[in-house]
Amino acid sequence: AVYNVVMNCYACHSDKKTVQRLEAILRFLEVMEKTGNSHLKPNIISFNTVLKGYANAKENLSHKAEQLLDRMENEKAVVDPDVISYTTVISAYGRSTAPGKAKNAKRVLDRMVQRYKDETTHAPKPNIYSFNACLNACAFTFNRADKIDAFVVVMDTLILIQQFAKPDHTTYGTVLKAWRNLIPKHDDRRQAVVISCFRQCRKEGLVGQNVLRELQLAASPEVYRQLVDREISDDIKVTLLPSRWSRNVKDRINTRNAPEQKQF
């Protein structure tokens, strides 16, 4: 437990040196386990913390995160990956600046889905955080050559969510961000998907402040007025909109006259 605490401190602010320290601690714990020291063997937290270090690193270390995931899946002496393991690797690709980040994130998500469907692997079920991490990789795809692939990944991921989880307000906010980034501003298709996304979000009571902010950035003034009945330049808080729109946002402010505060 003490080693895991130390590792987490390194993982939260990763650079090349701290990542090397994380790897060294993990190797040490593995050696101790092989020599029969059951008190110093790595557990799932140890491995996930190294994955976290790769994801948070300033350098692009997403490939190293996936390599460690390979070990967790295939080596009997290593602990089996859990939902946090897969989601962290997906997030590592999402935070990467390397080409093909959306496709790589989706590949890891698909790998998780397939292993879950394979009853012999006892793999974890993907949750909404896994899907949101994949959508986030798409939303932050800025390489023009990758944008079509990212668009396809968004569509495929939204279909997958229906099989395994329920969207939350982060899902809708991230999808709106993706449409804003992936579809040109003056393309009519952008407004069509923005309208569809927000209407579904509103229907499910998941309009959080982040969703509203992303809507302001993605929609045209006319579409925003149509959807919210406000001007796009207005500084509107969710608490001023119909409460049913945000009824299922877990951290929404319930008091209608609540003071202005950051919700997300």
Side-chain angles (χ1 to χ4, degrees):
V2 174
Y3 280 99
N4 287 338
V5 172
V6 174
M7 291 172 75
N8 189 57
C9 291
Y10 286 137
C12 289
H13 305 285
S14 293
D15 55 26
K16 188 174 182 179
K17 288 185 178 180
T18 55
V19 166
Q20 290 174 345
R21 288 169 183 161
L22 280 169
E23 294 171 332
I25 294 173
L26 183 61
R27 285 195 300 270
F28 170 76
L29 293 175
E30 290 184 288
V31 169
M32 289 296 99
E33 181 182 18
K34 290 178 180 178
T35 59
N37 191 332
S38 60
H39 297 292
L40 287 176
K41 65 179 182 179
N43 57 21
I44 186 62
I45 297 175
S46 311
F47 282 91
N48 285 348
T49 304
V50 177
L51 291 174
K52 178 181 177 181
Y54 290 144
N56 288 340
K58 297 176 182 178
E59 299 84 0
N60 291 327
L61 297 180
S62 47
H63 63 287
K64 299 197 74 171
E66 190 165 3
Q67 288 171 1
L68 182 55
L69 183 65
D70 289 339
R71 286 192 58 211
M72 296 171 72
E73 287 181 340
N74 299 314
E75 294 183 20
K76 292 183 179 180
V78 178
V79 297
D80 292 330
D82 62 8
V83 66
I84 295 175
S85 311
Y86 286 99
T87 304
T88 304
V89 177
I90 295 169
S91 295
Y93 278 115
R95 295 173 182 175
S96 168
T97 57
K101 59 192 291 182
K103 288 180 68 175
N104 288 329
K106 181 61 162 50
R107 186 185 66 250
V108 177
L109 179 62
D110 287 340
R111 176 172 164 177
M112 183 184 187
V113 168
Q114 292 305 315
R115 286 180 63 84
Y116 173 72
K117 289 181 176 179
D118 182 354
E119 296 179 357
T120 64
T121 63
H122 305 290
K125 180 181 179 181
N127 62 23
I128 193 57
Y129 300 105
S130 312
F131 295 108
N132 287 348
C134 188
L135 291 171
N136 193 63
C138 302
F140 284 91
T141 294
F142 300 111
N143 187 333
R144 180 176 295 182
D146 291 333
K147 287 194 173 187
I148 293 178
D149 287 335
F151 182 93
V152 173
V153 169
V154 173
M155 300 302 294
D156 289 347
T157 303
L158 291 176
I159 292 171
L160 267 181
I161 288 177
Q162 298 175 32
Q163 301 177 39
F164 294 97
K166 290 184 178 181
D168 61 10
H169 61 284
T170 300
T171 309
Y172 285 106
T174 307
V175 170
L176 286 170
K177 183 188 288 289
W179 294 152
R180 171 168 62 90
N181 178 39
L182 300 175
I183 306 175
K185 184 175 182 179
H186 300 294
D187 189 324
D188 290 341
R189 290 171 294 184
R190 169 162 155 174
Q191 299 309 314
V193 293
V194 165
I195 290 171
S196 176
C197 179
F198 185 78
R199 283 178 173 170
Q200 185 63 31
C201 179
R202 190 173 61 189
K203 179 180 178 181
E204 295 181 13
L206 291 170
V207 179
Q209 196 64 46
N210 182 55
V211 171
L212 196 59
R213 182 167 56 248
E214 291 300 334
L215 179 67
Q216 285 180 302
L217 295 171
S220 67
E222 296 77 17
V223 166
Y224 187 83
R225 190 183 308 114
Q226 172 190 339
L227 293 172
V228 184
D229 195 27
R230 297 288 198 283
E231 295 302 320
I232 200 167
S233 58
D234 292 347
D235 184 17
I236 298 298
K237 300 300 176 184
V238 168
T239 49
L240 300 177
L241 298 175
S243 59
R244 66 181 182 278
W245 291 13
S246 58
R247 66 188 183 278
N248 292 321
V249 178
K250 292 182 180 179
D251 51 355
R252 82 176 181 91
I253 301 174
N254 293 307
T255 305
R256 305 301 291 170
N257 296 319
E260 180 178 339
Q261 58 180 289
K262 188 175 181 180
Q263 298 184 58
F264 301 96

